[in-house]
Amino acid sequence: MAEFNYETEIDVRFRDCDMMGHVNNAVYATYLEQARVEYIEDVVQEPLMETGGVVANLNLDFKQPIDYGDSVTVAVRAGELGTSSIPLEYEIRVDGEVAATGETLMVTFDQEAGEPTPMPESWRERIEAHEDR
């Protein structure tokens, strides 16, 4: 698998934390979402709200806590593209240490028809070029 060649920085907000001062587990999914939006908008070069992409699956594995005041780096890479699917893999890092890993399966979706639709070829080309394939 290729290295991660897309990263974004996220500041931990006070509201992200639970009563123990750790980032709440549900917020990790929000960090993936923020990284996914930036990846799609930067790589595909279209606003995510206009792409018709939906998340069909989400997996997270927690390795260590993230605390208030930490600066988080989320690394993103695309896996093998399907006809309408974009699998994305993530590492959430604090000070270079992996705090969590995750995966999402994003599907290009026709909202009017209510079903998956083939990914535009321009997206495939941009993602493949970004991932050096």
Side-chain angles (χ1 to χ4, degrees):
M1 176 58 72
E3 294 295 318
F4 290 93
N5 58 6
Y6 187 90
E7 295 182 349
T8 190
E9 299 293 321
I10 300 173
D11 290 327
V12 176
R13 302 166 300 177
F14 180 78
R15 71 168 302 279
D16 295 346
C17 298
D18 59 23
M19 293 177 59
M20 295 175 54
H22 303 302
V23 170
N24 181 277
N25 63 318
V27 176
Y28 286 62
T30 301
Y31 294 166
L32 298 190
E33 176 184 56
Q34 186 172 339
R36 180 174 58 256
V37 167
E38 292 180 24
Y39 177 93
I40 293 298
E41 290 183 349
D42 289 347
V43 174
V44 173
Q45 301 171 5
E46 291 187 33
L48 188 60
M49 295 296 285
E50 297 175 16
T51 63
V54 297
V55 173
N57 191 36
L58 164 69
N59 292 307
L60 273 165
D61 289 311
F62 303 95
K63 309 291 184 192
Q64 66 181 34
I66 300 172
D67 297 317
Y68 177 69
D70 285 341
S71 182
V72 172
T73 301
V74 182
V76 184
R77 66 180 170 212
E80 190 66 34
L81 302 176
T83 301
S84 63
S85 61
I86 305 169
L88 295 172
E89 300 173 359
Y90 308 84
E91 281 187 355
I92 300 175
R93 305 178 191 137
V94 174
D95 296 326
E97 296 293 321
V98 176
T101 59
E103 298 176 348
T104 58
L105 182 64
M106 190 172 140
V107 176
T108 51
F109 195 78
D110 182 330
Q111 293 182 9
E112 290 181 22
E115 60 187 36
T117 186
M119 177 187 330
E121 193 57 35
S122 62
W123 294 16
R124 183 178 305 281
E125 291 169 1
R126 289 176 185 142
I127 292 170
E128 296 289 351
H130 176 80
E131 299 294 340
D132 294 325
R133 295 187 209 144

